[in-house]
Amino acid sequence: MTQPDYDPGPQIAYAGSIGLGTPDLEKSLWFFRDLLGMEVVEQVDGVAYLRGYQEHVHHSLVLTQQEEAVVNSYGFRVKRKQDVELFHKQFENQGLRTVDATGRERGRGEALRFLVPGSEHPFEFYYDIERPIAEESLRSKNLSNSSRRRGLGVRRLDHINLQTSAATVNQAEGWLREELGFKRREFARIPQAPDVIMASWLSVTSQVHDIAIGVAAEDRPGQFHHVAFNVENFHDILTAADQIRDLDIAYGAGPGKHGIGQAMYLYIHDPGSGHRIELYSGGYHIYDPDWDALEWKLPELQLGQTWYGDVLDVGPGGSFLSTTPSAGLVP
């Protein structure tokens, strides 16, 4: 029986943006604009707004010139305009402190900022965002592209990987699921402490993960591991790896393929800020409404991390475990 007045409550649509602080804006712009091929939609007062060639909204990446390389925000677009206010009321009822983030980013409307309980990552929720047309010299004849494909061909923001302390990861991961509606798709527990989540891959879309959260090597909250940008196919990952070897860019790991999510990866670092960036292609989608989360255990867990290719250095002191910090509630 239909219930036309049924309201599912506020919901997240997708991971929409990330704000990265960089001590060298020009070098970061060269990396994201000239090498990765992202479009600079707007640049003003030391802040640049960029998007991939298949993103029609104002931006998915905000680069801010500042002394410290911190992540200023993790942006999520909600499904309806009223969901910003509905989430605000939900958080108020929980006693969660929020701040008005309206006007913090250009091209975006009403926005709400808060810290995720447990992990302390600064999330921002919004719905209204402009959809500017690219300047004529960049426009594509393909209507589904916001601009022509350039550079290494970044299409869109794919997902964000967060880390926090072992003492708070269960709380944060549970809160993301219970209060924000993320679904756990794949996960692993710490072998020596099986009651503690080592990493969890979560989504609100059909992707295996729009966000991942795990335990930071530094064992402290608010840590950023990487942001992934989607490219069209595996060949693009190999082309990127080949070209980047000739450039002064910190080469992280890859190319290789994850068992978890089944996508091909290449990890590199923005030379202006040091933030880790993943180029990501492929992966499977989940359409089953009754999907049971997949748990990776030893010894197969290593295959989950690297199905083939460059094995990720996740041992004690491993380079793949390095992170950068996030800003607080009021950046």
Side-chain angles (χ1 to χ4, degrees):
M1 182 176 178
T2 59
Q3 296 180 342
D5 59 345
Y6 170 71
D7 188 333
Q11 295 178 299
I12 297 171
Y14 58 91
S17 66
I18 189 166
L20 300 179
T22 173
D24 192 334
L25 179 59
E26 286 308 310
K27 192 173 286 187
S28 292
L29 276 172
W30 168 82
F31 175 75
F32 287 103
R33 177 193 60 208
D34 302 331
L35 180 62
L36 300 190
M38 298 185 75
E39 173 195 356
V40 177
V41 175
E42 191 171 357
Q43 185 173 351
V44 60
D45 297 331
V47 183
Y49 298 86
L50 298 89
R51 64 182 177 183
Y53 76 86
Q54 288 185 344
E55 294 178 307
H56 291 266
V57 295
H58 187 271
H59 63 271
S60 61
L61 172 64
V62 183
L63 296 174
T64 302
Q65 174 77 50
Q66 58 194 58
E67 291 184 4
E68 289 187 89
V70 302
V71 180
N72 294 316
S73 64
Y74 305 91
F76 295 84
R77 195 175 185 201
V78 296
K79 286 192 173 182
R80 307 170 301 179
K81 185 179 179 68
Q82 65 264 37
D83 285 351
V84 176
E85 181 58 30
L86 290 174
F87 270 122
H88 186 200
K89 291 179 179 178
Q90 176 179 314
F91 299 157
E92 274 191 334
N93 292 337
Q94 296 174 358
L96 180 63
R97 185 185 171 198
T98 63
V99 296
D100 184 0
T102 305
R104 282 198 69 248
E105 294 182 7
R106 296 177 71 89
R108 199 180 68 176
E110 180 185 14
L112 175 72
R113 183 180 175 95
F114 62 95
L115 298 183
V116 174
S119 75
E120 300 180 22
H121 289 94
F123 278 20
E124 293 186 358
F125 285 180
Y126 62 94
Y127 176 77
D128 288 324
I129 186 166
E130 296 174 6
R131 299 171 68 87
I133 297 174
E135 61 179 71
E136 190 171 355
S137 64
L138 295 180
R139 290 178 200 164
S140 171
K141 295 177 182 178
N142 191 326
L143 299 182
S144 60
N145 291 345
S146 55
S147 65
R148 290 186 290 103
R149 175 174 170 161
R150 302 172 310 285
L152 294 176
V154 162
R155 299 199 293 180
R156 59 179 174 83
L157 188 152
D158 193 281
H159 64 266
I160 298 167
N161 188 299
L162 311 175
Q163 295 192 344
T164 187
S165 68
T168 61
V169 65
N170 281 10
Q171 176 193 2
E173 195 263 0
W175 192 86
L176 292 172
R177 291 188 290 111
E178 294 161 14
E179 302 299 332
L180 301 188
F182 283 95
K183 297 178 181 179
R184 182 191 286 174
R185 303 305 197 176
E186 303 192 35
F187 71 105
R189 305 176 194 269
I190 296 178
Q192 300 82 2
D195 292 334
V196 179
I197 292 291
M198 181 172 71
S200 177
W201 290 262
L202 308 154
S203 70
V204 290
T205 67
S206 65
Q207 296 191 142
V208 172
H209 62 315
D210 303 305
I211 190 171
I213 189 165
V215 176
E218 303 92 336
D219 200 31
R220 59 174 180 258
Q223 299 301 293
F224 167 71
H225 191 268
H226 70 266
V227 58
F229 289 97
N230 187 278
V231 295
E232 187 171 6
N233 54 55
F234 283 12
H235 182 268
D236 291 329
I237 298 287
L238 297 174
T239 297
D242 189 44
Q243 292 186 14
I244 285 169
R245 276 299 188 197
D246 265 332
L247 302 173
D248 187 20
I249 291 174
Y251 207 99
K257 181 181 177 181
H258 294 301
I260 297 168
Q262 297 195 39
M264 196 169 188
Y265 63 83
L266 176 67
Y267 293 96
I268 51 182
H269 291 263
D270 165 26
S273 67
H275 294 302
R276 183 183 288 105
I277 308 300
E278 180 183 19
L279 298 182
Y280 188 89
S281 182
Y284 70 94
H285 286 256
I286 297 170
Y287 300 104
D288 296 333
D290 57 350
W291 177 265
D292 288 328
L294 307 176
E295 181 176 4
W296 288 82
K297 301 178 180 180
L298 295 175
E300 291 82 7
L301 179 56
Q302 184 171 334
L303 294 177
Q305 294 167 340
T306 305
W307 185 250
Y308 64 73
D310 194 356
V311 176
L312 304 181
D313 183 8
V314 296
S319 61
F320 193 69
L321 296 179
S322 64
T323 59
T324 46
S326 302
L329 182 62
V330 181

